[in-house]
């Protein structure tokens, strides 16, 4: 750990000295990690950044919350007593390198997270937008529309993961928490994109594993497939419309992590739990780790400062011990209004519902969350958020920790990202 800290410190000092004027525009086909990266999804094929040799960008993000939540359940004595206080600050270190014209590498390290006390690598990938490293202008007409990504990386299932908090990187999330069924996974694989005139097609294959090993366990993991199709158009100066549909499928896993892949931890600390070791509190795990099939539809509309993002998801699967598959449905809707000279202030709300058959009990259960709040970009790199959140559990068996369960209260979050 000490050696890792020394290495990161040296990199930061070197990066500060040699890249004093670094700007995200120095990298090609790149999403800026600040306010200018809002509402960007897949990297655009429209890049006006010329290649001017090798370029290294060292950046980071840091996020801290003040939490004032209360929770309760009909099961007496099942929950911890919680009170208002600060949560652990979470931090990321990003290294992005422009290796050649249209060839870029990304690496993200979690320096501090809720789950791990030590620094560890989230993942990284190689992004190919040009094949000039083979020969100048090689297949240039094809690569005008094609992007290839390979690595141990965050898979591109759905659009919600472009708006989620990724440990310390929380500047793209208008609220504090992620969605209840947080579809986020890092797996080894590759994705191929075709983009033209606003149309998007993507197909990918991964090995379906979070933790990599050549040891054959009791249930052999089969490859997973992921796909997306969509349309994203700026119809005029004021109106942008985007609609995508995504699919993720794995025929056999025994340890699929589509809804448990975030090892950094959830934002609402110690709510609705009897265990301090539970780092995903406030989320809902459908307990699908085998034969998982999920579909997600995401509409996005922005008219001047008014912004809508929607989520409709149907997922099915089973645990390794179950004989029959179960299903869950997730619905989400965000409505925001951004205003100010640079849309630096926003107000809005989010509705989120998951409903389906609970593992074990077989009961049809519902979990509902409502967020209301807003934020202020003090600069393009600094964001302050304030929200009121309320979450309710319905349909659970008497004696369950979630029977009559609810939590609510205020959250204040500060984000720095550069």
């Amino acid at each position: 750990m000490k050696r890792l800290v020394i290495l990161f410190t040296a990199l930061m000092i070197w990066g500060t000295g040699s890249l004093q004027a670094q700007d995200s525009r120095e990298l090609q086909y790149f999403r800026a990690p600040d306010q200018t990266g809002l509402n960007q999804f897949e990297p655009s094929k429209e890049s006006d950044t010329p290649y001017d040799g090798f370029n290294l960008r060292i950046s980071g993000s840091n996020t801290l919350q003040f939490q004032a939540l209360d929770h309760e359940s009909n099961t007496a004595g099942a929950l911890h007593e919680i009170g208002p206080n600060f949560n652990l600050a979470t931090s990321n270190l990003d290294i992005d390198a422009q290796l050649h014209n249209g060839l870029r590498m990304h690496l993200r390290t979690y320096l501090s997270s809720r789950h791990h006390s030590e620094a560890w690598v989230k993942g990284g990938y190689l992004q190919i937008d040009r094949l000039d490293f083979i020969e100048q202008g090689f297949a240039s007409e094809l690569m005008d529309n094609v992007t290839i990504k390979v690595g141990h990386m965050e898979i591109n299932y759905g659009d919600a993961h472009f708006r989620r908090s990724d440990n310390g990187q929380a500047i793209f999330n208008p609220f504090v928490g992620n969605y209840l069924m947080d579809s986020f996974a890092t797996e080894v694989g590759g994705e191929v994109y075709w983009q033209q005139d606003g149309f998007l097609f993507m197909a990918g294959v991964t090995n379906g594993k979070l933790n990599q090993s050549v040891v054959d366990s009791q249930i052999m993991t089969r490859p997973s497939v992921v796909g997306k199709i969509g349309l994203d158009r700026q119809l005029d100066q004021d109106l942008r419309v985007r609609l995508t549909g995504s699919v993720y499928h794995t025929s056999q896993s025994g340890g699929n992590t589509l809804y448990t892949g975030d090892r950094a931890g959830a934002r609402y600390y110690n709510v609705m739990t009897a265990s301090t070791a539970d780092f995903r509190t406030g989320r809902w795990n459908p307990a699908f780790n085998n034969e998982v099939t999920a579909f997600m539809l995401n509409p996005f509309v922005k008219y001047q400062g008014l912004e809508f993002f929607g989520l409709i998801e149907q997922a099915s699967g089973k645990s390794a011990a179950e004989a029959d598959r179960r299903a869950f449905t997730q619905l989400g809707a965000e409505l925001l209004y951004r205003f100010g000279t640079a849309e630096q202030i926003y107000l809005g709300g989010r509705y989120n519902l998951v409903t389906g058959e609970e593992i074990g009990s077989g009961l049809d259960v519902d979990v509902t969350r409502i967020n209301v709040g807003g934020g202020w970009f003090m600069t393009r790199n600094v964001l302050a958020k304030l929200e009121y959140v309320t979450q309710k559990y319905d349909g659970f068996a008497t004696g369950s920790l979630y029977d009559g369960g609810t939590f609510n209260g205020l959250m204040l979050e500060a984000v720095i990202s550069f």
Side-chain angles (χ1 to χ4, degrees):
M1 176 63 182
K2 183 177 180 181
R3 292 179 181 177
L4 191 62
V5 171
I6 293 173
L7 174 61
F8 286 153
T9 303
L11 282 171
M12 292 298 288
I13 293 173
W14 179 83
T16 302
S18 61
L19 300 175
Q20 292 181 12
Q22 77 171 4
D23 190 284
S24 59
R25 290 172 294 181
E26 297 174 354
L27 300 180
Q28 298 176 318
Y29 314 104
F30 178 74
R31 183 186 190 185
D34 53 34
Q35 184 189 4
T36 59
L38 285 179
N39 296 328
Q40 292 185 24
F41 297 89
E42 293 79 14
S44 172
K45 291 300 294 185
E46 299 176 3
S47 176
D48 58 358
T49 303
Y51 174 66
D52 191 26
F54 176 83
N55 184 25
L56 181 67
R57 189 179 199 278
I58 300 175
S59 57
S61 53
N62 190 73
T63 298
L64 177 66
Q65 308 89 36
F66 181 83
Q67 175 174 307
L69 301 178
D70 294 315
H71 61 182
E72 62 182 31
S73 168
N74 289 340
T75 305
L79 303 177
H80 288 292
E81 292 291 332
I82 57 176
N85 214 323
F86 288 95
N87 292 328
L88 174 72
T90 55
S91 301
N92 295 358
L93 172 69
D94 290 344
I95 299 176
D96 291 276
Q98 190 74 51
L99 306 173
H100 203 282
N101 186 30
L103 185 67
R104 183 170 63 80
M105 183 213 74
H106 168 78
L107 176 69
R108 172 162 291 175
T109 298
Y110 294 156
L111 298 180
S112 171
S113 67
R114 179 179 177 185
H115 187 211
H116 283 281
S117 58
E118 73 279 8
W120 51 288
V121 173
K122 168 206 170 181
Y125 58 84
L126 187 70
Q127 180 175 311
I128 305 170
D129 286 281
R130 294 289 167 188
L131 296 176
D132 289 9
F133 60 90
I134 299 176
E135 182 182 348
Q136 183 70 28
F138 184 81
S140 59
E141 292 185 3
L142 175 67
M143 299 307 293
D144 284 342
N145 305 107
V146 172
T147 298
I148 303 169
K149 291 176 65 176
V150 291
H152 191 170
M153 59 189 183
E154 179 179 329
I155 62 171
N156 187 11
Y157 165 69
D159 284 351
H161 72 104
F162 291 111
R163 299 170 68 90
R164 72 186 296 280
S165 296
D166 186 15
N167 197 47
Q169 174 52 281
I171 208 162
F172 303 133
N173 188 347
F175 301 98
V176 175
N178 295 326
Y179 281 92
L180 286 164
M181 277 175 36
D182 187 22
S183 51
F184 168 90
T186 51
E187 299 174 357
V188 174
E191 298 172 344
V192 179
Y193 298 77
W194 175 275
Q195 298 182 73
Q196 186 174 17
D197 298 329
F199 288 98
L200 165 71
F201 303 91
M202 186 277 292
V205 178
T206 78
N207 71 342
K209 289 184 178 182
L210 172 64
N211 294 317
Q212 305 306 309
S213 174
V214 298
V215 177
D216 202 1
S217 59
Q218 293 181 355
I219 300 179
M220 180 62 180
T221 298
R222 300 286 188 263
S224 298
V225 295
V226 58
K228 179 181 284 190
I229 184 172
L231 176 65
D232 191 336
R233 287 272 180 86
Q234 188 74 43
L235 299 181
D236 56 38
Q237 184 177 356
D238 295 325
L239 179 62
R240 177 185 173 189
V241 176
R242 175 183 169 98
L243 178 65
T244 64
S246 302
V247 61
Y248 177 92
H249 174 73
T250 181
S251 60
Q252 186 175 352
S253 174
N256 186 265
T257 60
L258 181 61
Y259 298 105
T260 58
D262 180 16
R263 294 93 71 207
R267 280 296 190 249
Y268 305 120
Y269 284 51
N270 300 114
V271 295
M272 299 305 300
T273 184
S275 170
T276 55
D278 185 356
F279 62 94
R280 298 189 180 101
T281 50
R283 294 183 185 166
W284 179 254
N285 177 12
F288 299 152
N289 58 11
N290 200 16
E291 298 182 27
V292 180
T293 301
F295 300 93
M296 185 183 293
L297 185 68
N298 296 113
F300 172 76
V301 180
K302 182 172 173 59
Y303 179 73
Q304 296 182 355
L306 190 63
E307 180 179 309
F308 172 81
F309 178 79
L311 183 155
I312 303 171
E313 184 175 26
Q314 178 71 35
S316 61
K318 63 181 183 179
S319 70
E322 288 181 293
D324 299 321
R325 293 159 59 89
R326 296 172 291 108
F328 265 87
T329 299
Q330 176 167 221
L331 302 176
E334 298 177 11
L335 186 63
L336 306 174
Y337 182 66
R338 301 183 187 272
F339 57 96
T341 54
E343 294 190 352
Q344 70 271 25
I345 302 173
Y346 66 87
L347 299 171
R350 175 197 285 167
Y351 173 80
N352 191 192
L353 165 72
V354 296
T355 180
E357 182 182 343
E358 184 188 24
I359 186 173
S361 72
L363 295 173
D364 290 329
V365 298
D366 300 337
V367 185
T368 308
R369 178 189 294 168
I370 296 175
N371 305 78
V372 179
W376 172 34
F377 283 92
M378 292 180 280
T379 75
R380 74 178 193 178
N381 302 101
V382 182
L383 170 64
K385 309 177 195 176
L386 176 66
E387 74 166 29
Y388 174 81
V389 57
T390 178
Q391 185 161 313
K392 185 179 180 182
Y393 299 77
D394 292 305
F396 291 85
T398 301
S400 165
L401 182 145
Y402 299 121
D403 176 30
T406 182
F407 73 84
N408 59 77
L410 293 173
M411 295 289 297
L412 177 64
E413 184 172 69
V415 184
I416 302 172
S417 183
F418 58 93

